[in-house]
Amino acid sequence: MITTSALQVRYGDTTALHPLDLDLSAGRIYGLLGRNGAGKTTLLSVLAGFRAPSAGSVTFDGAPVFENAAATTRICLIRDDGGLGDPTDKLTDILDMAAILRPTFDRAFAGELLDRFALPRRSTLGRLSRGQRSAFGVTVGLASRAALTMFDEAHLGMDAAARKVFADALLADYLARPRTFLLSTHLIEEQSPLFEQVLILHQGRLLLREDLDDLRGRGVAVTGPATLVDDFVSGLTVLAERRLGPTKEVTVFGGLDDEHRRLAGRAGLTLGPVAVQDLFIHLTGGLP
Amino acid sequence: MFDDRSPIYRQIADQVKDDVLRGVLGAGQQVMSTNQYAAHYRINPATAAKAFQQLVDEGVIYKRRGVGMFVADGARDRLRTERRERFFTEVVGPMLAEAHALGIPVADIVAHLQRHDPPGDSR
């Protein structure tokens, strides 16, 4: 549905996005992970047509996105820095305006979401807290019912209860009206179960694209006496090592075959799973 | 609900199997739909669908088009047979290894088990 071909974005001398070929299918929920400055917001902005590519292309159902109203009315990006209106705008006025601008906008559903997030209807945008502003962004994003809906850290500042309301509303609406979502997040453990597939951006490049559930099985922590562990992991993809006295723990990426599992058993090494968040940290360069 | 380390679909499939094994889900009983499951546990529907497909492939549940998914006849017996085979290697083995490391004689373990589960009481 949305396709990039050799897409590049540069800001002056800085390359924010190196040539990227990406194709997202209709009707899936994608997660976009990356460290601060990895290029997530740049990618989302260019996919939404908020800015032009420096080189290459972004097409939506075959047509270029930038300055193409037919495409951009079917794409909705909610940015973490707002952009929904002026501080003095009333929430209800912003929703009324969105309903006029977007043919697919469901004004009644937006009203329901305001209630579910317990947002004060009579308030202005400027009087909302950070978390309330995010909840309002989610309200606009979901009610847009856009074929491609993107949230840039939709949960920023939301408390735990609001984040659950967000997850429930997203899933319920997705099940009722399947469409494509791309969500960037730093709350990996909490939000990743919502994703079918994750994309990891690192330093402006797509580092990995994989089904979330497959990624969960890809990391293995090997623990035991240091020399035995070293022998065992030679030839495997090692992401990280930690030592505690004579014991060593090595994080290996790529899963283990049966032969390696047998060898580990015979050597008395302990094999343990690795959390997705830890895999992400290791894959993107480890701790500073 | 789910640990963050192993594939969610496998955890879902294991939970349903546990329910069948313990009789919480009886033969012929309808199981939650993929969408209900996804919404209830806040997970991607494709992940839930993968779990139920695995259960169908393993003969634990079956699908009736347009109606739903149901526990297969004999699923509980098959799961019991399968788990019994694994019980000694996966449960008793590690326990004996731990007892050995702690210096607990096997006779003490046997005595303990007999006190808590006298013969005749087991089903």
Side-chain angles (χ1 to χ4, degrees):
Chain A
M1 77 160 344
I2 196 152
T3 307
T4 75
S5 176
L7 170 67
Q8 274 190 73
V9 177
R10 286 186 295 267
Y11 300 109
D13 290 341
T14 318
T15 302
L17 217 52
H18 293 276
L20 174 70
D21 295 302
L22 185 68
D23 189 27
L24 301 184
S25 317
R28 291 174 203 268
I29 304 177
Y30 294 94
L32 179 62
L33 311 182
R35 296 203 176 183
N36 296 321
K40 300 186 297 293
T41 300
T42 299
L43 175 61
L44 295 174
S45 301
V46 74
L47 289 179
F50 285 8
R51 56 160 301 132
S54 307
S57 66
V58 180
T59 54
F60 184 82
D61 286 344
V65 165
F66 188 65
E67 292 183 336
N68 174 6
T72 52
T73 51
R74 299 178 60 210
I75 300 173
C76 176
L77 167 62
I78 303 294
R79 290 187 290 190
D80 62 348
D81 58 358
L84 295 165
D86 292 325
T88 52
D89 288 347
K90 281 170 70 181
L91 303 189
T92 46
D93 290 345
I94 296 172
L95 297 179
D96 290 342
M97 186 53 76
I100 293 168
L101 294 176
R102 272 184 191 280
T104 54
F105 197 89
D106 187 333
R107 181 66 182 81
F109 180 48
E112 266 174 50
L113 288 171
L114 284 185
D115 290 345
R116 259 195 262 171
F117 280 116
L119 289 171
R121 280 172 182 266
R122 296 166 175 283
S123 176
T124 58
L125 194 56
R127 294 223 309 269
L128 298 181
S129 70
R130 177 65 259 202
Q132 286 178 319
R133 221 155 60 225
S134 292
F136 186 63
V138 166
T139 298
V140 174
L142 287 181
S144 289
R145 298 258 164 84
L148 171 62
T149 308
M150 300 182 280
F151 289 111
D152 196 4
E153 293 200 60
H155 53 72
L156 212 69
M158 279 189 191
D159 60 27
R163 294 201 302 273
K164 287 197 173 188
V165 172
F166 168 48
D168 286 343
L170 171 77
L171 276 177
D173 207 49
Y174 168 73
L175 287 167
R177 293 174 178 76
R179 52 201 198 269
T180 305
F181 286 95
L182 179 57
L183 317 176
S184 84
T185 184
H186 289 299
L187 289 180
I188 298 174
E189 300 303 356
E190 184 178 295
Q191 306 233 304
S192 63
L194 299 171
F195 309 146
E196 180 168 349
Q197 209 170 61
V198 285
L199 314 172
I200 299 182
L201 270 190
H202 186 52
Q203 297 175 346
R205 291 187 166 85
L206 184 64
L207 186 71
L208 178 141
R209 173 184 183 164
E210 192 156 308
D211 281 3
L212 184 271
D213 235 18
D214 291 340
L215 187 60
R216 280 170 173 259
R218 295 257 274 155
V220 182
V222 184
T223 314
T227 49
L228 290 178
V229 171
D230 284 337
D231 282 349
F232 179 80
V233 301
S234 76
L236 300 175
T237 307
V238 172
L239 293 180
E241 302 188 352
R242 283 205 306 174
R243 248 193 112 129
L244 187 68
T247 303
K248 195 168 185 179
E249 183 197 81
V250 172
T251 304
V252 173
F253 186 64
L256 292 179
D257 55 22
D258 290 347
E259 177 60 19
H260 270 98
R261 291 193 179 272
R262 265 198 300 278
L263 281 173
R266 221 176 295 150
L269 301 176
T270 310
L271 301 179
V274 180
V276 173
Q277 179 161 284
D278 291 326
L279 267 186
F280 167 77
I281 291 171
H282 294 320
L283 286 168
T284 53
L287 297 173
Chain B
M1 174 64 213
F2 300 105
D3 72 51
D4 57 14
R5 293 153 173 251
S6 61
I8 296 172
Y9 86 90
R10 213 179 295 154
Q11 298 183 53
I12 296 172
D14 286 346
Q15 281 166 16
V16 174
K17 285 188 205 171
D18 282 346
D19 283 349
V20 171
L21 204 57
R22 287 177 175 75
V24 178
L25 281 171
Q29 205 173 324
Q30 185 163 14
V31 298
M32 256 198 272
S33 75
T34 299
N35 288 359
Q36 287 172 325
Y37 214 94
H40 187 84
Y41 292 109
R42 299 190 180 93
I43 58 168
N44 191 285
T47 307
K50 198 172 164 188
F52 287 110
Q53 189 53 50
Q54 182 189 319
L55 291 167
V56 169
D57 292 344
E58 293 179 3
V60 178
I61 60 174
Y62 64 94
K63 281 180 187 166
R64 278 173 60 195
R65 240 172 249 288
V67 187
M69 295 177 290
F70 301 84
V71 177
D73 286 339
R76 188 182 188 188
D77 288 342
R78 278 199 305 281
L79 287 172
R80 276 192 153 189
T81 309
E82 187 190 304
R83 294 270 181 109
R84 276 178 182 169
E85 284 164 8
R86 280 161 42 192
F87 177 74
F88 289 95
T89 50
E90 290 180 12
V91 180
V92 180
M95 182 195 75
L96 285 175
E98 173 83 3
H100 184 73
L102 296 172
I104 299 173
V106 173
D108 285 10
I109 301 172
V110 173
H112 177 87
L113 291 176
Q114 280 172 340
R115 267 201 310 279
H116 288 84
D117 190 12
D121 191 40
S122 58
R123 281 176 293 161

